Amino acid sequence: MLFSALALSFVMISCTNPLVGTWVQPSTVYTQEQGFVLEKDGTASDINMDYVAFTSWEKKGDMLILNGENVGSAPSEFSDTLIIENVTEDELTLSQSGYSVTYKKKK
């Protein structure tokens, strides 16, 4: 019985996607905190991004695909494909076109 409980705990932990959560870049003198929320159900939302509204996300291999809408003067849908360089319990580094950005997981 103890073995079954431990096995179930292990399965539940291993099924948790480390990308799920709230990821932010800290505020600076020049910018406010910004980032995104990745939900378990595949939906996404932005944090303090004035011209972007994220709607969904998916992970394919080492890629994070963020879908959403540009909400500026010329609204349009988009899909951004980012390379996941590193993901830990507390940090996520994404890159695109040779430029890397590191986000911290908000607790």
Side-chain angles (χ1 to χ4, degrees):
M1 183 104 136
L2 178 60
F3 177 75
S4 295
L6 290 173
L8 181 60
S9 295
F10 177 74
V11 168
M12 290 175 67
I13 290 168
S14 64
C15 290
T16 302
N17 190 327
L19 293 175
V20 170
T22 301
W23 298 98
V24 295
Q25 292 176 289
S27 60
T28 68
V29 174
Y30 304 105
T31 63
Q32 60 186 342
E33 177 183 81
Q34 63 181 8
F36 47 87
V37 180
L38 304 178
E39 302 288 353
K40 281 166 76 169
D41 66 359
T43 59
S45 57
D46 64 282
I47 299 171
N48 296 325
M49 294 188 166
D50 295 335
Y51 299 105
V52 173
F54 293 124
T55 56
S56 64
W57 71 279
E58 64 181 303
K59 181 183 181 294
K60 287 191 176 180
D62 66 345
M63 304 288 189
L64 172 64
I65 301 167
L66 281 170
N67 302 300
E69 296 179 47
N70 291 316
V71 292
S73 58
S76 61
E77 293 184 354
F78 70 87
S79 183
D80 251 349
T81 301
L82 306 156
I83 297 170
I84 301 168
E85 290 186 359
N86 184 44
V87 61
T88 68
E89 186 177 305
D90 301 314
E91 200 169 85
L92 172 63
T93 302
L94 302 172
S95 68
Q96 185 180 52
S97 303
Y99 179 72
S100 294
V101 178
T102 299
Y103 297 89
K104 302 288 183 188
K105 193 168 212 175
K106 198 167 184 176
K107 305 284 181 182

